[in-house]
């Protein structure tokens, strides 16, 4: 409430927080945790949801006067927190080639300038169309349509940086790149595994679901290098006992696993489950499920029975008895939900680890039945919806065929650039224009200096944004900032009340409608801006009715209903209150893989080691942060106040490396290209982390993650595994 009242005042606070995540309200623009079906709590939000709404609803604004006062060079010297704290963008602004300041521009001229630059490119693949996970389904559908009508599949998105490994791993094993559970399944589970995820900060309403499950007798297993508060206990402020501090203990077992030890853990657990089944046939494995719904079991079983126990112990940093306790929890459970996030997806072998987690689920038939399944928890409110709508540089032919049949043009078939390849293309001059639908690409992407220089080298950039951020500073030679409506704001585009739609982590699709007055009279919706740009660039090419789309979003939904798989009768279903996307493995234990069955996969066990005196860094969020948005400088669940340049390190490593709690160091990462990447002046904080593993916040440590350090198969930056050394800081 302190944040909300301070930034929005009483009336707006009440209006926004009482409609947040409510039926016929607006969807939280922060994480993608689902809303309960049916009746909602009066306060159906968490602290970080309130922070996100307050951050968007702030009364301060950034307009022509602000940009006249602040040159780009001056803004470059400010922190990310300071930039966003300045307020909501209110006017279209342009920085002309060689200019030192942004200056106002009219919408019409901004659209014309964009069209001119895009048509001036040597070819459509010189343009990149980036999407952040806040974009609505309607905006995302139009954006991919525009990019493909323009002639390119260069549609990288923030999913490339986060759950791409999940999408690749699940598509290969169960045939669908999405989680297979509902909120009800979490409530009905008797074991919930939380791997590489910090729900207390990144998906806080998940704690309510864990509390419900715990109170119904479920067990919780947490697998995480850090002993996160949100995994230990939850004092639910919406419950008397929570307010009185007698909350709900959560994890029954916490495994302080070494970074990247998860694949080894699940192979070892599988071995123990196989041995338990040997000892008591028919009590552990779901043989009927394995026989009727899977392929590849025998080859996988052979691989697991040859497992190297010592390799498991050095990879996990755990004791064998901890692993045995874990296997006992699984063997004793009938309904298991496995949740995970970035701690699993941002590693070289992340796809292999996710496939191994699926193997364990298949072993016990934990998919396609109540209370069981796979639950990758998405970090951005509509990142899953954007992918469903076609924001994907590797869209399948079936989707492109549907675009052709619906809109009468042949879309490009060659796969486009993902986020990392987009940076390389800009760096190498293969791309010259970068359009961003939301987000803060420069700060969110790895190898910050390389990414920033690549974007600055572009001839032309467009940022469709709500607030000022780093990507407006490190922008192209000619750069546009186009201010858009936020989720909290009324959208009266086309002279009517417009709704947009989103899809959460559990595939539930529903409408979102803001109630507050826009932060400024010139703001336009994402849909309206995209239609303006598309019309100015393509003119009447392909005869697509951009203006009509902007006037009535139901026309967009009608097209979505005819093009996007699983979205038949989309507009009608949304009017009826929303629906859940089909998921054959969840719905009917049918697996749309090439084999037509769920697939057991064999992944070699790797024990990643580092040279002496080096450490494994994982980048993470503080509690006062959402992605690259820094709400404040505290991280109260980890005991940090008023500072972000900290490194969490174990007492053992401090002693071994000759440092002490409080020492100031520079972090230097080492990579195959022989180039040292440095991030300066971090305070060492003694903290219970596994030996050899340290942690620090991003975006401050994104400069340490090499661009080419990507997960195999998915290309996700390996932000949870960066080899670093500590150097005493100068002065
Ligand atoms: S759990 Fe996520 S979606 Fe829900 S209110 Fe909190 S931040 Fe928003």
């Amino acid at each position: 409430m302190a944040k909300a009242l301070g930034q929005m005042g009483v009336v707006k606070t009440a209006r926004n927080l009482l409609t947040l995540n409510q039926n016929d309200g607006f969807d939280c623009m922060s994480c993608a945790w689902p809303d309960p079906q049916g009746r909602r709590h009066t306060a159906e939000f968490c602290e970080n949801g309130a922070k996100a709404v307050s951050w968007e609803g702030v009364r301060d604004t950034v307009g022509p006067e602000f940009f006249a006062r602040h040159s780009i060079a001056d803004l470059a010297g400010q922190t990310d927190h300071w930039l966003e704290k300045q307020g909501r963008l209110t006017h279209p602004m342009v920085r002309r080639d060689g200019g030192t300041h942004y200056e106002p521009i009219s919408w019409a001229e901004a659209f014309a300038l964009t069209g001119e630059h895009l048509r001036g490119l040597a070819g459509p693949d010189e343009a990149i169309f980036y999407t952040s996970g806040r974009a609505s389904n309607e905006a995302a559908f139009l954006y991919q349509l525009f990019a493909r009508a323009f002639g390119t599949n260069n549609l990288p998105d923030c999913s490339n940086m986060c759950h791409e490994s999940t999408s690749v791993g699940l598509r290969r094993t169960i045939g669908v790149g999405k989680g297979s559970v509902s909120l009800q399944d979490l409530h009905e589970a008797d074991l919930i595994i939380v791997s590489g995820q910090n729900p207390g900060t990144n998906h806080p309403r998940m704690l309510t679901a864990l509390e419900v499950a715990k109170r119904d007798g479920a067990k919780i297993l947490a697998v995480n290098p850090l002993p996160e508060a949100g995994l230990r206990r939850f004092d639910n402020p919406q419950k008397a006992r929570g307010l009185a501090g007698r909350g709900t203990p959560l994890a029954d077992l916490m495994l302080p696993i070494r970074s990247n030890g998860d694949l080894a853990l699940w192979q070892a657990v599988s071995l123990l489950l196989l041995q338990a089944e040997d000892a008591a046939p028919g009590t552990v494995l779901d043989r009927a499920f394995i026989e009727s719904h899977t392929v590849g079991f025998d080859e996988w079983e052979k691989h697991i029975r040859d497992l190297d126990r010592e390799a498991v112990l050095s990879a996990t940093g755990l004791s064998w008895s901890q692993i045995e306790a874990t296997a006992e929890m699984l063997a004793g459970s009938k309904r298991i939900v496995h949740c995970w996030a970035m701690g699993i997806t941002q590693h070289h072998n992340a796809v292999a680890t996710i496939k191994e987690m699926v193997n364990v689920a298949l072993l016990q038939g934990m998919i396609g039945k109540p209370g069981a399944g796979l639950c990758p928890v998405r970090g951005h409110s509509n990142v899953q919806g954007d992918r469903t709508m076609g924001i994907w540089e590797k869209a399948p032919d079936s989707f492109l065929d549907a675009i052709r049949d619906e809109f009468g043009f042949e879309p490009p078939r060659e796969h486009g650039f993902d986020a990392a390849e987009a940076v390389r293309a800009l760096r190498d001059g293969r791309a010259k224009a970068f359009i961003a639908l939301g987000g803060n690409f420069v700060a969110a992407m790895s190898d910050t200096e390389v990414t920033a220089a690549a974007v600055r080298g572009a001839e032309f950039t467009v940022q469709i944004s709500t607030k000022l951020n780093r990507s407006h500073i490190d922008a192209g030679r000619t750069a546009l900032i186009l201010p858009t409506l936020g989720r909290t704001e009324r959208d009266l585009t086309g002279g009517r009340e417009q709704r947009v739609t989103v899809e959460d982590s559990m595939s539930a699709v529903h409408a979102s409608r803001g109630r507050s007055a826009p932060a400024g009279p010139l703001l336009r919706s994402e849909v309206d801006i995209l239609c303006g740009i598309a019309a100015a660039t393509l003119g009447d090419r392909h005869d697509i009715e951009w203006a009509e789309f902007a006037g009535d979003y139901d026309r967009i939904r009608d097209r979505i209903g005819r093009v996007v798989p699983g979205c038949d009768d989309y507009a009608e279903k949304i009017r009826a209150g929303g629906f859940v996307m089909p998921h054959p493995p969840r719905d009917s234990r049918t697996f749309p893989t090439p084999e037509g069955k769920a697939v057991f996969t064999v992944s070699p066990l790797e024990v990643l080691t580092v040279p002496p005196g080096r450490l494994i860094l994982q980048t993470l969020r503080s509690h006062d942060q959402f992605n690259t948005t820094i709400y404040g400088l505290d991280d109260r669940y980890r005991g940090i106040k008023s500072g972000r340049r900290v490194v969490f390190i174990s007492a053992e490593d401090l002693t071994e490396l000759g440092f002490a709690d409080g020492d100031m160091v520079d972090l230097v990462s080492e990579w195959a290209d022989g180039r040292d990447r440095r991030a300066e002046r971090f305070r060492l904080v003694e903290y219970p982390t596994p030996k050899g593993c340290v942690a620090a916040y991003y975006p401050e440590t994104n400069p340490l993650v090499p661009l080419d350090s990507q997960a195999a198969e998915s290309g996700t930056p390996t932000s949870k595994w960066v080899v670093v050394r500590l150097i005493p800081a100068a002065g």
Side-chain angles (χ1 to χ4, degrees):
M1 291 313 287
K3 295 261 183 192
L5 294 169
Q7 291 172 335
M8 298 190 288
V10 176
V11 176
K12 204 172 183 181
T13 294
R15 180 186 304 117
N16 282 344
L17 293 187
L18 292 174
T19 50
L20 172 56
N21 293 334
Q22 295 298 330
N23 289 318
D24 201 25
F26 68 90
D27 183 69
C28 177
M29 64 294 282
S30 192
C31 87
W33 189 254
D35 304 322
Q37 294 309 308
R39 210 182 69 69
R40 313 269 162 95
H41 282 290
T42 312
E44 186 55 59
F45 55 85
C46 73
E47 172 199 338
N48 280 0
K51 285 178 193 164
V53 168
S54 310
W55 200 248
E56 181 187 289
V58 67
R59 291 167 288 193
D60 304 330
T61 59
V62 171
E65 317 72 46
F66 173 92
F67 285 109
R69 276 199 313 277
H70 296 280
S71 70
I72 290 165
D74 162 29
L75 294 172
Q78 304 293 345
T79 65
D80 294 289
H81 176 58
W82 184 92
L83 290 171
E84 287 215 29
K85 208 164 183 299
Q86 300 315 300
R88 290 287 304 277
L89 296 161
T90 54
H91 288 66
M93 302 295 293
V94 62
R95 194 279 298 277
R96 300 193 188 279
D97 195 353
T100 58
H101 288 68
Y102 276 99
E103 54 193 63
I105 185 172
S106 72
W107 279 109
E109 196 196 342
F111 293 154
L113 185 67
T114 306
E116 202 185 294
H117 272 276
L118 291 178
R119 285 194 306 278
L121 297 170
D125 282 333
E126 289 195 342
I128 295 167
F129 298 89
Y130 171 75
T131 307
S132 121
R134 204 197 56 156
S136 69
N137 280 358
E138 289 74 13
F141 183 78
L142 290 185
Y143 198 40
Q144 62 82 28
L145 176 64
F146 168 46
R148 292 186 167 117
F150 181 69
T152 183
N153 283 315
N154 287 344
L155 286 156
D157 69 335
C158 61
S159 189
N160 294 154
M161 302 176 210
C162 64
H163 268 291
E164 198 66 58
S165 301
T166 294
S167 305
V168 172
L170 292 185
R171 248 194 327 274
R172 182 63 201 93
T173 51
I174 64 170
V176 178
K178 299 177 178 181
S180 73
V181 300
S182 67
L183 204 46
Q184 193 52 31
D185 288 321
L186 263 130
H187 294 166
E188 293 174 12
D190 59 14
L191 173 61
I192 299 172
I193 305 169
V194 184
S195 289
Q197 186 197 359
N198 177 18
T201 287
N202 303 332
H203 314 95
R205 277 187 301 158
M206 179 172 165
L207 301 192
T208 306
L210 295 180
E211 181 187 42
V212 170
K214 263 324 282 244
R215 295 211 163 248
D216 291 351
K219 293 260 183 280
I220 295 177
L221 163 67
V223 185
N224 196 311
L226 299 182
E228 305 286 17
L231 296 170
R232 287 200 301 253
R233 205 179 92 139
F234 176 39
D235 292 353
N236 185 340
Q238 300 199 21
K239 299 253 190 307
R241 65 171 172 266
L243 281 174
R246 294 194 318 284
T248 303
L250 295 177
D252 298 272
L253 177 61
M254 294 185 79
L255 298 178
I257 198 163
R258 189 168 167 270
S259 193
N260 195 262
D262 301 80
L263 184 141
L265 169 67
W266 296 115
Q267 292 196 344
V269 167
S270 298
L271 175 62
L272 291 166
L273 291 174
L274 289 171
Q275 293 169 346
E277 174 74 8
D278 297 343
T283 63
V284 179
L285 271 51
D286 186 336
R287 288 279 179 199
F289 175 86
I290 293 169
E291 266 129 42
S292 53
H293 293 291
T294 74
V295 292
F297 176 79
D298 296 343
E299 194 201 347
W300 172 79
E301 180 187 11
K302 184 172 171 323
H303 168 72
I304 292 297
R305 290 199 184 274
D306 296 342
L307 195 63
D308 174 344
R309 183 168 155 155
E310 289 315 309
V312 167
L313 297 179
S314 55
T316 60
L318 300 172
S319 67
W320 196 253
S321 60
Q322 285 173 308
I323 297 172
E324 286 173 330
T326 304
E328 276 156 31
M329 283 180 100
L330 275 82
S333 304
K334 293 286 172 263
R335 299 180 303 281
I336 303 174
V337 171
H338 199 152
C339 307
W340 71 86
M342 299 312 101
I344 296 296
T345 64
Q346 296 179 326
H347 288 270
H348 303 85
N349 58 352
V351 174
T353 299
I354 289 159
K355 288 176 176 175
E356 204 61 56
M357 289 155 56
V358 173
N359 286 338
V360 176
L362 299 181
L363 206 53
Q364 295 184 282
M366 293 300 170
I367 188 161
K369 68 175 186 182
L374 302 163
C375 182
V377 186
R378 308 273 174 171
H380 212 161
S381 60
N382 198 37
V383 64
Q384 188 161 309
D386 295 341
R387 185 55 63 89
T388 301
M389 292 299 127
I391 299 290
W392 189 10
E393 76 280 0
K394 300 186 180 72
D397 276 333
S398 55
F399 183 87
L400 300 175
D401 293 346
I403 291 280
R404 178 200 57 215
D405 300 345
E406 179 67 19
F407 291 97
F409 71 87
E410 182 55 46
R413 299 285 168 164
E414 194 194 336
H415 287 174
F417 302 147
D418 67 3
E421 193 52 28
V423 174
R424 291 187 198 98
L426 287 165
R427 178 195 64 195
D428 306 342
R430 290 179 282 126
K432 302 207 168 40
F434 181 84
I435 316 283
L437 176 55
N440 184 3
F441 184 75
V442 168
M445 192 52 199
S446 54
D447 223 340
T448 313
E449 281 164 34
V450 172
T451 299
V455 176
R456 285 197 302 268
E459 284 174 10
F460 183 67
T461 60
V462 177
Q463 298 275 338
I464 300 168
S465 307
T466 53
K467 301 192 82 174
L468 185 66
N469 65 43
R470 184 65 51 192
S471 297
H472 302 128
I473 314 306
D474 293 309
R477 297 207 297 276
T478 299
L480 280 174
I481 299 177
L482 302 181
T484 190
L485 292 174
R487 285 269 181 88
T488 59
E489 292 165 334
R490 286 187 82 189
D491 180 350
L492 297 174
T493 306
R496 65 173 72 208
E497 179 109 40
Q498 304 279 11
R499 283 174 172 71
V500 294
T501 54
V502 293
E503 177 186 342
D504 63 35
S505 259
M506 295 180 183
S507 304
V509 181
H510 58 92
S512 175
R513 177 168 75 96
R515 296 290 204 301
S516 285
L522 293 181
L523 267 59
R524 291 193 182 199
S525 71
E526 293 169 335
V527 165
D528 195 13
I529 293 171
L530 294 174
C531 291
I533 289 174
T537 305
L538 301 172
D540 56 8
R541 199 199 301 179
H542 308 315
D543 195 20
I544 299 172
E545 68 274 31
W546 300 109
E548 287 76 11
F549 284 150
D552 177 4
Y553 296 8
D554 258 346
R555 295 182 72 129
I556 306 168
R557 289 187 276 271
D558 290 340
R559 299 295 199 139
I560 291 172
R562 292 200 290 271
V563 168
V564 179
C567 288
D568 313 353
D569 308 324
Y570 191 75
E572 295 75 15
K573 286 178 185 162
I574 294 301
R575 277 194 290 274
F579 67 103
V580 176
M581 293 287 293
H583 191 290
R586 175 200 61 210
D587 303 337
S588 57
R589 288 187 151 183
T590 48
F591 299 91
T593 60
E595 297 83 354
K597 296 205 171 188
V599 183
F600 277 96
T601 52
V602 172
S603 301
L605 170 53
E606 284 178 80
V607 181
L608 298 180
T609 56
V610 296
R614 292 344 185 234
L615 300 160
I616 305 164
L617 169 75
Q618 65 156 311
T619 71
L620 42 66
R621 290 186 199 170
S622 78
H623 190 62
D624 258 1
Q625 171 183 359
F626 171 71
N627 283 348
T628 57
T629 295
I630 315 296
Y631 301 124
L633 305 180
D634 300 342
D635 188 5
R636 77 168 188 281
Y637 287 156
R638 298 192 184 108
I640 302 292
K641 251 191 131 14
S642 314
R644 293 185 47 84
R645 300 186 83 83
V646 296
V647 180
F648 299 102
I649 182 169
S650 70
E652 222 178 327
D653 286 318
L654 282 171
T655 310
E656 202 171 285
L657 296 168
F659 288 108
D661 178 71
D663 284 356
M664 297 301 291
V665 297
D666 294 352
L667 296 167
V668 178
S669 73
E670 302 172 351
W671 179 243
D673 62 3
R675 195 166 69 80
D676 279 357
R677 292 165 174 79
R678 183 185 285 256
E680 296 181 342
R681 304 204 61 72
F682 286 75
R683 182 195 186 289
L684 293 175
V685 174
E686 182 182 326
Y687 203 80
T689 73
K691 184 170 182 330
C693 300
V694 292
Y697 305 133
Y698 74 85
E700 289 83 353
T701 48
N702 279 348
L704 298 169
V705 186
L707 180 67
D708 300 337
S709 182
Q710 297 176 263
E713 298 180 66
S714 66
T716 305
T718 61
S719 306
K720 300 297 183 201
W721 173 271
V722 184
V723 178
V724 297
R725 65 182 190 274
L726 308 181
I727 311 281

